[in-house]
Amino acid sequence: MTSLNATSETVSTLDADALILGFDGDVASHPQLPDEVRTAVAQTAAALEPSAKVGATTILPGTGVTATRIVLVGLGDASEGDLRFAAGAAARSCGKKPSTVVVAIPADSDAKASAIAEGALLGAYTFTDYKSSEDDAEPHATAWHIAGASDAAIERAQIIAAAVASTRDLTNTSPLDLYPASFAEIAHEYAGQLGVEALTWEPQQLAEQGFGGILAVGMGSSRLPRLVRLSWKPEDATGSVALVGKGITFDTGGISLKPPKSMETMKSDMTGAAAVMNIVFAAARAKLPIAVTGWLCLAENMPSGTAQRPSDVIRHYGGKTVEVLNTDAEGRLVMADGLARAIEEEPDVVLDIATLTGAQGVALGTRTSAVMGDDAIRAEVVEAAGEVDEAFWPMPLPAHLREELESKIADLQNIAGPAGGMLSAGLFLKEFVGDTPWAHLDIARPAYNEGKPYGFTPAGGTGASVRTMFRFLEKRAGL
Ligand code: BES
Ligand code: MN
Ligand code: ZN
């Protein structure tokens, strides 16, 4: 278990395996170090030519301090974003050896102190569930002491980091173990502990109530689909938000089978649902004064004798019919049902989060998520993302592309032409939100880091969108 505390003691005399010192180019002016210590550390550091570039780390022996070693970390421009990134990089560079770490990165506001704590926890994340040797399975540092932070800053950081870590865990989990029914069980288990109401639609109930999209996508698998509703409803709620998440626990493409290379990362196709679940739980933990309902659209997209065919016409929740021309465009099919059901409850706003299109990565790359939808809500998401330093970029929903979704025989077809694939997917979803203020978040590539770790982001599941959605809720709640 990782523990995180604020400390107001002198950082140089705290007993620790590592002391992380923020480095702005001049150790001799570090405000959290006593004078005599500064000079000693500055002298040792000088020989190693440390860099002040954000996240650059330099490791020194523990000269003049109680800690065994010192990690200097560059702070860049020392903005909230750079501080979070730097703390994450420093935490990662501590590796597995230290079990107690003191973080002395100066912050001139509580928000910055919270960002530092958050970055450290996010950077220390490891996923070792499937490692069989004890050595590999060892976690990163277990006790973190953040200098100069308030208890409130620490608590907020802990809530957010837990939501991100749990989202990463689910993304990283083998799809042999994570499938619609097991996902739903996890949701119920945590909901019970947090005062969140949980409700699951079993396959038969999905059929009786007309969830044709979730059923069509899920029926090719022996592990049948589920829809889960999670609700945090405080008495002092000032408004309501619905969140709908794509939870394809594995996306083979179905009968429109993906090539092997494209399938390698498709265990990450449930990240939207994992993010939604953890955001509802984070809202409950933080007791945010706003009602939040999460919808998890869970299915495994497999090819088989019971799978849907390209050409099938399905009927979505609410009655719209769709001609399925490509079974690999399955995300929009499960999301259409989820959105149609979510808006029935008349939330103030609905956000949907999905690893929806490869086109997202073509347009924006591997680290920048897209947000589409109503101008006002889209702007709110971009603003919330900016405040927590998560990369979200506004994208349009050009009306002319809507024509490409016209089907010859049904109300809609599930694919459009090759140009603007992320946008036509957004336009498809728009058909299911009615008049409810709405934004669509496409996190396809940012949800899963296929490259090297950086800052507080590990390889594998990243937890993309969680921090932005939490900030979105806080702002909606007037915080
Ligand atoms: N899950 C994929 C999208 C995806 C691709 C996520 C790469 C992460 C990385 C989605 O279900 C999909 O297969 N989309 C198709 C849509 C196409 C058939 C219209 C795609 O993007 O190729
Ligand atoms: Mn697909
Ligand atoms: Zn998919």
Side-chain angles (χ1 to χ4, degrees):
M1 267 306 281
T2 309
S3 72
L4 185 70
N5 301 298
T7 181
S8 48
E9 286 174 49
T10 309
V11 298
S12 54
T13 51
L14 277 167
D15 194 11
D17 300 297
L19 169 62
I20 293 173
L21 294 177
F23 179 65
D24 63 359
D26 181 20
V27 184
S29 67
H30 197 298
Q32 288 163 323
L33 288 178
D35 286 343
E36 64 281 9
V37 180
R38 279 182 197 158
T39 326
V41 178
Q43 264 168 13
T44 318
L48 295 164
E49 297 182 25
S51 161
K53 210 178 135 213
V54 62
T57 53
T58 309
I59 300 187
L60 326 173
T63 329
V65 302
T66 310
T68 316
R69 57 169 140 160
I70 292 174
V71 176
L72 293 183
V73 63
L75 299 181
D77 65 8
S79 61
E80 204 177 304
D82 273 6
L83 291 175
R84 190 187 288 101
F85 186 97
R92 270 193 308 106
S93 85
C94 287
K96 292 179 179 180
K97 288 267 156 50
S99 64
T100 304
V101 180
V102 175
V103 182
I105 298 177
D108 55 22
S109 72
D110 218 33
K112 284 186 177 177
S114 189
I116 290 164
E118 197 184 299
L121 284 180
L122 294 175
Y125 173 86
T126 53
F127 181 73
T128 56
D129 288 13
Y130 298 107
K131 292 287 190 188
S132 53
S133 91
E134 252 178 58
D135 202 32
D136 289 340
E138 232 179 282
H140 275 198
T142 44
W144 291 85
H145 302 283
I146 314 290
S150 70
D151 288 338
I154 293 284
E155 190 179 335
R156 183 174 184 277
Q158 265 174 324
I159 289 171
I160 292 170
V164 173
S166 167
T167 304
R168 290 172 177 177
D169 281 347
L170 288 166
T171 299
N172 290 331
T173 297
S174 158
L176 179 62
D177 298 324
L178 188 70
Y179 48 94
S182 68
F183 200 140
E185 254 171 56
I186 292 170
H188 278 257
E189 190 186 314
Y190 288 113
Q193 298 165 16
L194 288 168
V196 167
E197 183 188 289
L199 186 69
T200 292
W201 280 255
E202 299 288 323
Q204 194 187 334
Q205 294 165 308
L206 290 172
E208 285 164 5
Q209 294 173 37
F211 290 92
I214 294 174
L215 280 167
V217 173
M219 75 188 184
S221 172
S222 59
R223 308 192 288 183
L224 291 172
R226 300 288 190 281
L227 173 66
V228 177
R229 177 184 185 276
L230 295 169
S231 162
W232 161 245
K233 202 170 180 196
E235 269 171 24
D236 55 352
T238 50
S240 60
V241 175
L243 303 170
V244 183
K246 173 177 174 181
I248 301 297
T249 55
F250 194 74
D251 182 11
T252 66
I255 297 296
S256 310
L257 195 63
K258 285 182 185 295
K261 252 304 175 228
S262 315
M263 228 183 271
E264 279 176 11
T265 58
M266 283 303 122
K267 67 173 180 181
S268 69
D269 214 16
M270 35 48 68
T271 301
V276 165
M277 177 180 85
N278 284 299
I279 281 299
V280 177
F281 294 162
R285 285 203 175 98
K287 298 200 162 41
L288 292 186
I290 183 165
V292 188
T293 308
W295 298 89
L296 320 182
C297 306
L298 306 172
E300 185 176 54
N301 190 21
M302 296 289 272
S304 78
T306 57
Q308 65 173 334
R309 290 147 289 263
S311 300
D312 281 0
V313 176
I314 62 175
R315 188 178 297 273
H316 281 286
Y317 186 83
K320 283 207 172 80
T321 60
V322 168
E323 183 183 12
V324 178
L325 291 176
N326 188 323
T327 64
D328 196 13
E330 86 297 339
R332 63 197 74 183
L333 302 179
V334 300
M335 295 297 279
D337 278 1
L339 283 165
R341 180 62 183 78
I343 61 156
E344 224 174 59
E345 300 184 357
E346 300 184 345
D348 297 341
V349 55
V350 61
L351 297 188
D352 77 76
I353 300 95
T355 49
L356 205 62
T357 66
Q360 175 281 321
V362 177
L364 293 173
T366 55
R367 296 187 188 181
T368 304
S369 298
V371 52
M372 290 148 270
D374 300 348
D375 288 354
I377 311 302
R378 191 183 64 177
E380 255 182 84
V381 171
V382 170
E383 192 174 297
E387 290 178 23
V388 298
D389 202 42
E390 205 173 13
F392 270 87
W393 201 255
M395 297 298 267
L397 293 173
H400 72 96
L401 281 179
R402 168 65 180 78
E403 291 162 25
E404 299 183 8
L405 293 168
E406 289 290 338
S407 160
K408 293 195 180 71
I409 63 166
D411 297 336
L412 290 165
Q413 61 183 41
N414 80 327
I415 49 168
M422 169 170 63
L423 316 180
S424 48
L427 282 162
F428 183 93
L429 296 182
K430 184 179 160 71
E431 296 293 316
F432 297 87
V433 298
D435 302 330
T436 308
W438 160 73
H440 158 56
L441 283 57
D442 194 336
I443 59 167
R445 297 294 298 270
Y448 197 79
N449 177 16
E450 292 182 62
K452 289 199 167 54
Y454 58 92
F456 54 78
T457 306
T462 63
S465 81
V466 169
R467 295 186 307 108
T468 293
M469 282 195 287
F470 189 77
R471 185 67 198 126
F472 179 93
L473 294 178
E474 278 185 334
K475 286 167 76 77
R476 279 254 154 192
L479 299 170

